[in-house]
């Protein structure tokens, strides 16, 4: 692919306009999952910029360093983030590999706009991972999947044989202080096991670690946290405001995730 005069062109002659905000839209028809709204993306951007999820980004970057294929001069080739939102986590990983290029996919154009500005070496694409990933076979050295849906067949197809898939998922105690108080979605007790089962036909696990810490959130950060993810689709704003008002300020909230590294089966 080459980009000239605001147009992305492939060797087969296809061309796609680069939006003035810096991303390319490759979405074809309706996506399998709902795209994050402008309000959701804005909430996520402000929450992540405040550093509340810094332990996740740091742990993900460390796991990438430990498991990525050997890089020459820091150049891994292509690092892909599937469902990467605003680019916050990918930007942190890219800082560890100065010679590499990052490509972020998300179905939300609002997320892609921000991701395109998240790091000088990140390109943002609006696309549906369930409609086929816009990459050649074996194009990626590292694939990130943080709190996002995943298509195992496509993830395996785009990874190099020696590449690594890094998946971040919430644990059952994630945000436990807010689940009952605010009526949030619960994380299943067997989530890690279900993930392993879904990937087992195409990947083998090579590393797993847990990151657990405490966030101290005020009454501005709490609605951002609720509003930036799936819980945003299940909340009534007035009821949520009433519940948040009853929380202590600031309140301590558990941040608890599993980070797992997988190699593709040959």
């Amino acid at each position: 692919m080459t980009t000239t005069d605001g147009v992305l062109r492939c060797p087969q002659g296809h061309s796609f306009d680069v939006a003035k905000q810096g991303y390319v839209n490759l979405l074809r028809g309706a996506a399998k999952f709902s795209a994050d709204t402008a309000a959701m993306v804005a909430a996520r951007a402000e929450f992540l910029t405040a550093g509340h999820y810094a332990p996740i980004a740091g742990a993900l970057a460390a796991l990438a360093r430990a498991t990525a294929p050997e890089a020459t001069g820091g150049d891994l080739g292509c690092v892909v983030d599937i469902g990467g939102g605003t680019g916050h986590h990918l930007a942190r990983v890219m800082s560890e590999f100065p010679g590499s290029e990052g490509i972020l996919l998300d179905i939300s154009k609002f997320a892609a706009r921000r991701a395109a500005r998240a790091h000088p070496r990140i390109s943002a694409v609006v696309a549906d991972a369930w409609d086929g990933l816009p990459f050649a076979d074996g194009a990626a050295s590292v694939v990130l999947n943080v709190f996002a849906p995943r298509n195992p067949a496509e993830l395996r197809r785009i990874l190099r044989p020696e590449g690594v898939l890094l998946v971040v998922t919430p644990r059952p105690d994630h945000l436990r202080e807010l689940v009952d108080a605010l009526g949030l979605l619960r994380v299943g007790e067997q989530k890690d096991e279900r993930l392993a089962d879904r990937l087992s036909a195409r990947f083998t696990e090579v590393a797993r670690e847990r990151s657990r810490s405490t966030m101290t959130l005020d009454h501005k950060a709490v609605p951002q946290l609720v509003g930036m993810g799936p819980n945003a689709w299940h909340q009534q704003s007035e009821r949520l405001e009433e519940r948040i008002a009853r929380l202590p300020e600031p309140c301590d909230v558990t941040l608890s995730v599993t980070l797992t590294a997988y190699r593709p089966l040959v």
Side-chain angles (χ1 to χ4, degrees), residues 146-263:
V146 182
F147 293 162
R150 61 203 64 86
N151 183 338
E154 279 294 277
L155 295 177
R156 172 62 188 89
R157 181 185 66 77
I158 71 170
L159 260 178
R160 290 166 48 184
E162 70 275 22
V164 63
L165 167 65
L166 304 179
V167 182
V168 180
T169 52
R171 294 189 51 74
D173 59 338
H174 183 57
L175 311 183
R176 62 184 179 85
E177 295 84 0
L178 301 180
V179 170
D180 289 332
L182 303 183
L184 304 187
L185 299 171
R186 294 182 180 277
V187 177
E189 291 289 338
Q190 303 301 317
K191 188 174 183 67
D192 287 345
E193 288 73 13
R194 291 197 301 270
L195 171 64
D197 288 343
R198 288 201 62 215
L199 296 178
S200 62
R202 296 176 174 87
F203 295 90
T204 182
E205 181 180 315
V206 294
R208 180 187 293 198
E209 59 186 59
R210 296 173 181 176
S211 175
R212 191 176 191 277
S213 56
T214 300
M215 302 179 288
T216 300
L217 306 180
D218 59 22
H219 283 191
K220 179 182 177 182
V222 172
Q224 291 171 350
L225 174 59
V226 176
M228 72 183 198
N231 283 291
W233 304 107
H234 303 275
Q235 294 289 331
Q236 295 181 346
S237 58
E238 291 184 1
R239 179 60 173 151
L240 179 62
E241 290 175 2
E242 293 173 358
R243 289 176 167 178
I244 291 176
R246 292 197 289 267
L247 294 173
E249 187 174 25
C251 58
D252 289 339
V253 179
T254 299
L255 173 59
S256 181
V257 301
T258 299
L259 301 97
T260 313
Y262 297 90
R263 299 273 185 223

Side-chain angles (χ1 to χ4, degrees), residues 45-67:
E46 191 165 354
F47 186 86
L48 294 177
T49 299
H52 300 300
Y53 272 13
I56 296 177
L60 183 62
L63 188 59
R65 286 198 309 272
T67 60

Side-chain angles (χ1 to χ4, degrees), residues 65-129:
R65 286 198 309 272
T67 60
E70 184 175 353
T72 302
D75 183 4
L76 277 176
C78 185
V79 181
V80 176
D81 192 351
I82 305 297
T86 63
H88 179 84
H89 300 297
L90 178 57
R92 179 66 181 82
V93 171
M94 295 305 296
S95 68
E96 302 295 329
F97 303 103
S100 301
E101 295 294 326
I103 302 179
L104 180 145
L105 271 68
D106 202 282
I107 59 173
S108 171
K109 65 181 181 181
F110 304 108
R113 289 173 182 174
R114 292 180 182 267
R117 305 190 302 269
H119 191 280
R121 288 182 283 111
I122 289 179
S123 299
V125 179
V126 176
D128 181 6

